[in-house]
Amino acid sequence: MIVREISTNNINQSNKKKGLKAFTPYLFLLPHLIFFAIFVVYPFLYGIYISFTNFDLMNSPKFCFFDNYIKILTFGSKYSKDFFAGLLHTFIYTVTAVPLIVFVPLILAVLLYAIKNEKLRNFFQSILYATSILSVSTVVLIFTWLLDRDNGLFNNLFMVDINFKGNEILTWVAIISLTLWSGVGGNMIIFLSSISSIPKSQYEAASLDGANAVNRFFRLTLPSLRFPLTFSLITGVIGGFNVFGQPFLFGGKVGSYETVMMEVYEYAFGSSPMAGMASAMSVLLGLIILAASVVQFKLMKEK
Amino acid sequence: MSYKKIGLLALTLFVIPGCSFTSSAESSEVESEYIMNITNDDVADFVDSPVTIKFWNPITGPDAGNLQNLVKFWNDTYGDYIRIANDPLAENDHYTRIFTSFSDNSTADLTLIHSSRVPVFQRANRLRPMTSMLSKVGISSDQYLESIWNANVYGEDVYALAWDIIPTVFYYNRHLIPEGYTEEMIHSDDFTIEDMEEMMKLAYVHSPVLTKRTYGMSFNYAFTENPFISLLYQGGGKPVDESAPTVPTFNGPEGYAAAEALRSIPFTSNADGIKVTSESGSNHLNIFAQGRALFTIDGLWSTNSLVLNNDKVDTGVAFLPKVNDNATRCTYGDSHVFATFTNKNQSEHKDEAIGLVIKFLVDNSLEWYKGGKVAVRNADINNETYKALPWAFVSQKLDKVVLPQKLYTFSTICNTTGEYISKLCEGTLTDVQDALDKCASDAKDLAENL
C-alpha cells in the first residue's frame, strides 16, 4: 500500500515536472506573445471590425455591415473612384519599382562580388549601402531639392526646365528613382552574402567545364539565390502595395500620385474622418496583397 | 581625478551656465508692453494648486513667433501658477491629433481650431460651451463684431471664441505694376480677374525685370479651394444651401463663372508667354518673395513672410479681384477660434485658469494680428497701431468678408472642390461644368456619410 502511494506520488511529481517542462518554452515565448497580441493581433482584428462600422473618430462606432465595402465597390461613387485610382497608382508603382529594387541590387551584388580586392569591394559596398540608412523623409527632401523646378540642381546643372511635379510620368520617375536610390543597399547586402556562401569550387568546376560569366550567372548564381530572391520579391511587393511616404512627401499634380495608403490616410484623418471607410479600404488592399503574395510564392516554389 | 572627469566637470561648469545665460538673453527680447489685466488676486487660487494648460494649435508658420511671444510673456509672469504648455503642430497633424485623442478623452485643455470646423465638433458633442468661462473673465458679445461672435453661438451657448479673420487675398509687387495701372485701381471695387490678367500681360511687355524665370503670377495649384469659394460668393452663389446641408450648390452658373475665371489665370497667362507657377512643383511664395512674380494668391497668413519681413519686394495686399463685371468684390475668410474640447482632465479649477489665459491672449490680440490677421474685437479695429498694418483695410470692408457657413457639411463640401479646381487649372480636366458636376456628386457622397 505504502509502496503504491510512493509510486503514485513519484508519478504525480514526474508528471508535474513533465508538465512544467512542456510549459517552459511557452513562458519564454510569453513576453513576445503578449506584445504580439497587443500590438499586432488586436489592432488587426479591431481594424477588420472597424471596417464594418461607420466610425468617425468622434462618435462610437455603429455597425453598418457591408455598407463601406458596397460603397467602395459601387462604380462611380466617390469612394470607388478614390480607391481604384489609388490602386492603379499603387499598381504602377509596384510593377515598376519592385523589379528594379530586386534586380538592380542583384546586378550590383554580382559586380561587387567580382571585385577581387577586398578593401575596394568593402568601399563600394559601404557607399552603396549608405543611402539605406537614411529615412524616407530625408531621402524625399534630398530629391525635392535636387529636382526642384526653379532652384534644383538637376535643372540648373543641365540648363533645362523640367517640372518633375507637373507631369504624372515624371513624378513617378522621380518617386521610383528615390525609392531605388535609398532601397538598393538592403537587398544588395542580402544577395551579396548569399553569393558569398556559394562554394567557390562550384564556380571553378563550371569554369573548367567551359561556362562563361553569363552562363555561370544564370546556371549557378541565380538558382542559388532562389530563397533571397523570393524573400526580396514578396517583401518588395508588400512594401510596394503599402507605399505611402515617398509619394505623400514628394507630391505632384493633384490626382496623379495618390496611392491606396494615401487614400486610407486621407479618409481616416481628413477634414471629416471616416475611419470605417478607411479600414474597409485597408482590408481590401490587404486581401490583394495576400493574393499577390500567395501567387508569387507558388510561382517561385514551382520554378 | 581622471582627465575624463575633469573634462566633464569643465563641461558642467561652463556649458550649462552658458545655456541659462542664452535663455535669459532671449527672454529679454520679448516685448514687455503687453496688457496684463489679470491681477494677483485672480491667480491667488492657483498659488497652492498650480495648473498647466495644455494648449494645442496649428500655428507653425511665420506667425508662430507672435504666439510664442505671448505665451512666453504669460509664463514669465504667471507661469509658476498657471503655465501654458504651448504645443503647435502643422494643420493636418493638429487635426489628426485632435481626432485621435477623442479615443481616450485626452484632448488639450485649450485648442485653437478653425471656425469652419466648429459645426463638425459641436454636432458630435465634443465641444464644451464656453459661455460661463468667458463671462467670468468679462468677455462678452458687445466687444465683438456681431457676425463673428454669432458664428460660434449654438442655441444660447458660445462654443468657440474667434481670435481673428484670415481672408483669402492676393499679393502684388509694387515695382512690377505696369504703366497705366495704379494701386487705387487694384483696390477698387471694379477690379476684375480680366484686369489682373491684362496687368500680367502688360507687365511682361513693359517690365525689364521680367525675364525667363520671372512670372506674371506665381500661382499655387494646390491652393484653389479658398479662391474658388471666394469667387463663388462674389457671383452670389454659395457652396451649400442651409435647407439641404448634404446637397452641394457650387455647380450652378456662379460656380461655373468662378471656376472658369480661376482656370483662365494660368491658361491666359501661358498663352501670352507669361509663365505661371507652380505646377505643384515650385514654392509660389518663395518665387514671389524673391521678386520674380507680379502677383500671387494666398491667405492673409502669409503676410509675415511676404510683406513684413521681405526686404526684396515692396508688396501690396488686396482682396481677390471680381470674377466678372456683374459680381460684387468680396472674399472668403475663415478664422482661428479658441475652443475647449470635452476631456478627462477638465475641472472648474482648470476652467478658471483657461478663462484667464484666454483673456490675456485676446487682450493682446494686437501682437497676434501683426502675424497677418484681421481684427475681430471692436476695440482693436479702432486701434491706431492696428490701423497702420498694411492689411487693416480689410477691417473697413468687413461686410465683404464672407465667413464659413454654420453647417457640419460645409468644410467637407468645400474641401472637395480643391481637387477638381486644381485639375481644371492644371489642365487635367477641361470641361468646367462636367468637372463641377462630378465634384458635386463626390461632395454629396461624402456629406451623406457624415
Side-chain angles (χ1 to χ4, degrees):
Chain A
M1 205 56 178
I2 293 166
V3 173
R4 194 184 245 180
E5 272 178 18
I6 289 169
S7 67
T8 314
N9 281 344
N10 282 344
I11 290 165
N12 284 343
Q13 275 181 350
S14 158
N15 281 346
K16 266 185 188 174
K17 274 186 182 173
K18 270 185 187 172
L20 207 66
K21 215 172 182 181
F23 192 64
T24 309
Y26 295 104
L27 279 175
F28 283 109
L29 281 174
L30 199 60
H32 169 77
L33 287 174
I34 290 169
F35 280 98
F36 183 73
I38 294 172
F39 293 108
V40 179
V41 178
Y42 173 71
F44 176 74
L45 295 176
Y46 191 69
I48 294 172
Y49 159 69
I50 288 295
S51 73
F52 293 102
T53 70
N54 65 352
F55 190 36
D56 64 357
L57 300 181
M58 288 184 283
N59 300 293
S60 306
K62 280 184 193 149
F63 208 64
C64 64
F65 298 96
F66 288 94
D67 201 26
N68 292 328
Y69 291 95
I70 291 167
K71 279 175 180 165
I72 294 169
L73 299 173
T74 302
F75 183 74
S77 76
K78 160 84 175 152
Y79 313 103
S80 164
K81 277 190 271 186
D82 287 345
F83 179 75
F84 286 105
L87 196 61
L88 178 69
H89 294 143
T90 309
F91 187 72
I92 290 169
Y93 172 84
T94 307
V95 296
T96 47
V98 173
L100 287 171
I101 209 85
V102 172
F103 291 109
V104 171
L106 177 63
I107 292 162
L108 287 174
V110 171
L111 291 175
L112 276 178
Y113 188 67
I115 298 173
K116 301 295 173 203
N117 184 325
E118 201 177 326
K119 278 187 179 172
L120 200 64
R121 188 203 294 177
N122 287 344
F123 170 75
F124 281 116
Q125 189 179 316
S126 307
I127 294 283
L128 288 167
Y129 187 71
T131 56
S132 302
I133 60 170
L134 299 174
S135 68
V136 174
S137 49
T138 310
V139 174
V140 173
L141 201 67
I142 292 168
F143 271 75
T144 301
W145 172 74
L146 278 174
L147 305 177
D148 184 82
R149 186 178 181 182
D150 287 284
N151 305 312
L153 185 68
F154 187 89
N155 276 353
N156 284 296
L157 195 66
F158 297 107
M159 308 280 275
V160 289
D161 184 17
I162 299 173
N163 185 2
F164 284 91
K165 295 185 182 181
N167 177 295
E168 189 170 357
I169 295 169
L170 289 176
T171 302
W172 280 109
V173 167
I175 290 170
I176 290 165
S177 301
L178 71 90
T179 307
L180 185 63
W181 185 77
S182 63
V184 83
N187 280 345
M188 186 196 71
I189 293 289
I190 293 171
F191 294 139
L192 193 60
S193 67
S194 300
I195 295 171
S196 305
S197 66
I198 301 170
K200 286 201 171 151
S201 57
Q202 289 190 16
Y203 281 105
E204 285 162 7
S207 295
L208 285 174
D209 287 343
N212 59 21
V214 177
N215 281 336
R216 286 200 300 272
F217 175 73
F218 282 105
R219 291 177 186 273
L220 184 57
T221 311
L222 209 54
S224 307
L225 295 177
R226 187 199 286 175
F227 290 112
L229 269 174
T230 311
F231 171 78
S232 300
L233 271 174
I234 291 176
T235 53
V237 167
I238 293 170
F241 273 109
N242 281 308
V243 66
F244 174 76
Q246 296 95 319
F248 182 75
L249 295 168
F250 189 77
K253 269 172 88 168
V254 177
S256 71
Y257 66 99
E258 291 85 351
T259 60
V260 177
M261 285 312 288
M262 284 174 69
E263 296 295 350
V264 167
Y265 174 79
E266 186 54 35
Y267 273 101
F269 303 115
S271 60
S272 306
M274 295 178 187
M277 188 63 73
S279 293
M281 286 181 178
S282 297
V283 170
L284 288 175
L285 181 67
L287 290 173
I288 292 167
I289 294 172
L290 185 70
S293 302
V294 168
V295 169
Q296 263 183 301
F297 198 74
K298 283 201 166 177
L299 281 175
M300 296 299 282
K301 216 176 173 185
E302 279 172 15
K303 290 176 183 174
Chain B
M1 194 183 277
S2 70
Y3 287 115
K4 274 184 184 173
K5 282 182 181 170
I6 293 169
L8 199 68
L9 187 68
L11 197 76
T12 317
L13 286 171
F14 294 106
V15 176
I16 294 175
C19 293
S20 64
F21 175 76
T22 311
S23 170
S24 56
E26 275 170 6
S27 70
S28 66
E29 288 168 15
V30 174
E31 222 168 303
S32 54
E33 294 160 3
Y34 295 138
I35 302 161
M36 188 56 94
N37 282 335
I38 288 134
T39 62
N40 289 345
D41 288 345
D42 292 326
V43 293
D45 288 349
F46 301 94
V47 173
D48 292 331
S49 52
V51 293
T52 297
I53 304 299
K54 207 158 62 162
F55 180 34
W56 288 355
N57 58 74
I59 312 300
T60 54
D63 46 0
N66 303 86
L67 182 58
Q68 280 162 14
N69 287 345
L70 289 169
V71 170
K72 182 157 182 49
F73 186 79
W74 171 275
N75 282 342
D76 286 348
T77 315
Y78 287 123
D80 289 342
Y81 318 112
I82 302 168
R83 174 155 290 274
I84 305 174
N86 184 29
D87 193 354
L89 268 186
E91 189 176 323
N92 284 347
D93 299 330
H94 171 66
Y95 284 106
T96 300
R97 175 168 61 172
I98 291 173
F99 285 121
T100 49
S101 67
F102 289 144
S103 62
D104 65 342
N105 232 0
S106 61
T107 326
D109 305 304
L110 179 63
T111 313
L112 208 58
I113 57 174
H114 291 90
S115 178
S116 54
R117 303 266 194 158
V118 172
V120 179
F121 293 124
Q122 196 275 338
R123 183 170 178 258
N125 291 322
R126 288 290 176 180
L127 287 178
R128 291 193 291 142
M130 300 172 77
T131 322
S132 155
M133 182 192 292
L134 295 178
S135 69
K136 274 182 190 168
V137 291
I139 296 173
S140 56
S141 62
D142 57 304
Q143 298 160 359
Y144 283 80
L145 297 164
E146 196 183 342
S147 57
I148 196 91
W149 178 274
N150 289 338
N152 300 304
V153 174
Y154 292 80
E156 298 292 310
D157 278 315
V158 182
Y159 278 84
L161 179 72
W163 202 12
D164 59 31
I165 301 174
I166 34 173
T168 307
V169 292
F170 84 96
Y171 297 90
Y172 56 91
N173 182 334
R174 288 196 176 95
H175 292 309
L176 299 180
I177 295 175
E179 256 176 61
Y181 284 86
T182 60
E183 279 195 72
E184 287 69 36
M185 292 164 87
I186 292 173
H187 283 274
S188 109
D189 284 343
D190 299 325
F191 190 68
T192 61
I193 293 271
E194 222 176 299
D195 294 330
M196 190 171 80
E197 287 167 351
E198 266 321 296
M199 282 183 76
M200 286 158 67
K201 290 177 206 169
L202 289 169
Y204 179 73
V205 172
H206 295 294
S207 171
V209 185
L210 285 169
T211 59
K212 185 195 165 202
R213 283 179 184 270
T214 306
Y215 309 98
M217 161 81 81
S218 61
F219 187 83
N220 180 12
Y221 287 154
F223 183 72
T224 53
E225 175 193 323
N226 284 16
F228 172 71
I229 302 297
S230 297
L231 301 190
L232 176 71
Y233 279 124
Q234 288 185 357
K238 50 182 166 179
V240 56
D241 197 89
E242 280 82 357
S243 58
T246 59
V247 184
T249 52
F250 55 70
N251 54 337
E254 301 87 2
Y256 181 88
E260 187 64 60
L262 265 180
R263 191 175 77 120
S264 75
I265 295 173
F267 279 87
T268 309
S269 311
N270 278 339
D272 288 279
I274 302 171
K275 283 203 170 182
V276 175
T277 189
S278 68
E279 288 160 2
S280 311
S282 304
N283 187 332
H284 68 294
L285 293 179
N286 275 350
I287 288 170
F288 184 86
Q290 288 163 5
R292 292 164 51 204
L294 172 58
F295 296 121
T296 192
I297 297 175
D298 210 82
L300 193 63
W301 53 85
S302 294
T303 300
N304 236 338
S305 50
L306 294 188
V307 183
L308 296 183
N309 300 316
N310 186 3
D311 300 332
K312 282 188 182 171
V313 182
D314 188 7
T315 308
V317 53
F319 273 12
L320 284 179
K322 277 202 308 188
V323 61
N324 54 40
D325 287 328
N326 303 324
T328 308
R329 197 171 178 186
C330 65
T331 193
Y332 166 68
D334 208 337
S335 68
H336 290 111
V337 297
F338 293 106
T340 49
F341 286 99
T342 53
N343 73 67
K344 61 186 174 192
N345 298 317
Q346 65 198 54
S347 67
E348 272 186 38
H349 187 58
K350 212 166 208 178
D351 280 356
E352 203 182 317
I354 295 169
L356 293 172
V357 167
I358 292 176
K359 175 154 179 64
F360 167 74
L361 292 175
V362 298
D363 279 348
N364 292 286
S365 295
L366 204 58
E367 171 68 31
W368 178 240
Y369 302 147
K370 283 178 189 169
K373 313 286 183 301
V374 174
V376 288
R377 295 198 319 161
N378 297 324
D380 295 326
I381 291 168
N382 299 316
N383 180 295
E384 291 305 318
T385 315
Y386 173 72
K387 279 182 180 172
L389 293 173
W391 53 91
F393 74 89
V394 178
S395 293
Q396 311 307 318
K397 297 181 175 183
L398 280 173
D399 56 323
K400 289 177 180 165
V401 177
V402 186
L403 298 171
Q405 288 176 258
K406 220 158 89 178
L407 290 170
Y408 70 96
T409 53
F410 178 81
S411 57
T412 301
I413 285 175
C414 288
N415 280 348
T416 321
T417 63
E419 181 186 339
Y420 280 88
I421 303 298
S422 296
K423 283 180 177 174
L424 283 169
C425 289
E426 286 177 334
T428 317
L429 296 175
T430 50
D431 188 331
V432 176
Q433 191 56 54
D434 185 52
L436 287 176
D437 289 340
K438 281 180 180 161
C439 181
S441 163
D442 284 1
K444 191 168 182 281
D445 277 350
L446 291 174
E448 282 174 346
N449 219 26
L450 294 176

